[in-house]
Amino acid sequence: MELGPTGKVAIVTGASRGIGFETAKTLASEGAHVVITARREDRLKEAQAAIKAATGKTVDYAVADVTDLTAAEQAVASTVEKYGTVDILVNNAGGHRAGSFEDVDNDAWRFDLEIKLIGVANFTRAVLPHMREQRAGSIVSVVSNSGKTPGPKSIPTSPARAAGLAVIKELSKEYGEYNIRANAVCIGYIRSEQVEKCGKMTLRSQLGQNFLNKKHKLPIHLWGELVKPMRQLV
């Protein structure tokens, strides 16, 4: 019995860089048919070439903003048109906007919730009919430990992550009868382009300095690195 991703069809959002890219690369190396999505076609082409060089496998890509339901539906439709179905969805698209409650305006709240909550809803809504029809599937959302235990000055990202975590828990209960698994991976401190960018954006402040120097808070005083970290995602 084949229990791994070999031959499965997987869509990974936010896959042009970081955790999404590494997840897509790992899935491709283990024999899955992978479609990567992101907003920028140039970065998707770079990611496609890098995965080909690393694994010898060619992944497909779809330019899609997760906050756009039509774009999500088109990405899923093109995947189904080519491969017949979708077996795996990895909701990875996100960002990191963090600040003091009083300093964060409603535009920042809306931006974060659109990506981390509405974006998950859009792609999940698009794949569910196919998974339900075949009575099988796996939906995985990459969230953060801050969604369970928010730290100070982590608005709006921590509440948005908590909402995403609640969505996954609900999906697991509602669609379990269709043999659709819904799981969240709550990551810790992973050094990635997103983390570096966030730190540099606030580097002139003490918050920025602390953000890039959190090693003192980690159990073994090391950041997580993107070296084959995502095999357990699916």
Side-chain angles (χ1 to χ4, degrees):
M1 178 182 295
E2 176 55 60
L3 298 177
T6 302
K8 302 293 185 181
V9 180
I11 295 176
V12 184
T13 70
S16 62
R17 290 289 190 275
I19 290 172
F21 170 79
E22 293 294 333
T23 301
K25 184 171 71 173
T26 301
L27 284 167
S29 70
E30 297 196 7
H33 304 294
V34 180
V35 178
I36 58 176
T37 80
R39 290 175 296 179
R40 289 177 51 179
E41 186 171 18
D42 59 333
R43 287 198 162 192
L44 284 168
K45 287 181 176 180
E46 291 173 4
Q48 183 186 50
I51 291 173
K52 174 72 171 180
T55 68
K57 306 292 180 63
T58 299
V59 302
D60 298 291
Y61 72 80
V63 179
D65 183 336
V66 295
T67 67
D68 183 340
L69 176 58
T70 299
E73 291 174 337
Q74 290 174 344
V76 172
S78 64
T79 300
V80 172
E81 182 179 1
K82 181 169 184 177
Y83 294 109
T85 191
V86 178
D87 300 297
I88 300 164
L89 170 66
V90 180
N91 289 306
N92 172 72
H96 189 96
R97 289 191 171 191
S100 170
F101 185 89
E102 292 181 280
D103 293 337
V104 175
D105 61 22
N106 284 347
D107 287 339
W109 275 98
R110 291 188 187 96
F111 178 85
D112 227 52
L113 288 168
E114 280 283 332
I115 294 176
K116 295 171 184 168
L117 188 58
I118 303 303
V120 169
N122 285 342
F123 264 87
T124 301
R125 187 182 293 116
V127 302
L128 272 173
H130 305 287
M131 292 183 176
R132 195 169 59 245
E133 181 180 359
Q134 68 188 15
R135 300 190 68 83
S138 177
I139 300 169
V140 181
S141 284
V142 179
V143 293
S144 166
N145 284 337
S146 68
K148 297 190 296 180
T149 308
K153 297 183 178 179
S154 63
I155 300 294
T157 188
S158 290
R161 293 297 191 189
L165 187 58
V167 169
I168 283 294
K169 289 180 177 179
E170 192 283 336
L171 290 171
S172 70
K173 294 176 173 64
E174 183 174 354
Y175 292 96
E177 65 178 288
Y178 297 100
N179 199 30
I180 298 171
R181 293 175 290 118
N183 295 279
V185 176
C186 296
I187 61 172
Y189 295 123
I190 303 294
R191 187 175 291 279
S192 65
E193 180 180 309
Q194 183 184 117
V195 165
E196 298 285 358
K197 181 179 178 181
C198 180
K200 288 174 182 177
M201 283 167 59
T202 57
L203 199 55
R204 283 188 290 272
S205 69
Q206 187 60 47
L207 175 62
Q209 293 286 351
N210 291 342
F211 189 86
L212 288 178
N213 292 288
K214 282 182 175 176
K215 290 200 290 187
H216 65 285
K217 293 186 178 181
L218 306 181
I220 58 174
H221 307 293
L222 291 172
W223 282 77
E225 299 290 343
L226 288 171
V227 182
K228 304 180 87 172
M230 294 297 137
R231 183 170 183 174
Q232 285 74 33
L233 264 179
V234 178

